Amino acid sequence: MNRVKIDAERCKACGYCIYFCPQKSILKQGENVNRKGYRCAEVEALADCIACGICATVCPEIAISVERDITEP
């Protein structure tokens, strides 16, 4: 399964990952607040993630990493 990891302490809730996600259901602004006072992005529907990495690419804080499952059938 693909994995999206968000470093909550680096996230500044800019929303770029949410806006640019092609699936539009992967990320949402979370309820948890980090030490800096930001409500960080959270993974909402990991099963829908296509592991394109756009969220990680557009993140100005380098708070997101994407791991793609490359197991062969």
Side-chain angles (χ1 to χ4, degrees), residues 17-26 48 50-55:
C17 57
I18 296 167
Y19 180 80
F20 287 104
C21 176
Q23 296 302 97
K24 299 298 180 205
S25 63
I26 303 301
D48 295 336
I50 59 174
C52 64
I54 291 174
C55 56

Side-chain angles (χ1 to χ4, degrees), residues 15-64:
Y16 291 161
C17 57
I18 296 167
Y19 180 80
F20 287 104
C21 176
Q23 296 302 97
K24 299 298 180 205
S25 63
I26 303 301
L27 300 163
K28 66 176 185 167
Q29 188 168 14
E31 298 298 320
N32 297 327
V33 177
N34 67 12
R35 289 186 292 185
K36 296 176 185 173
Y38 297 110
R39 289 183 34 203
C40 303
E42 294 179 353
V43 178
E44 183 174 49
L46 189 56
D48 295 336
C49 179
I50 59 174
C52 64
I54 291 174
C55 56
T57 301
V58 300
C59 180
E61 300 304 317
I62 313 169
I64 303 175

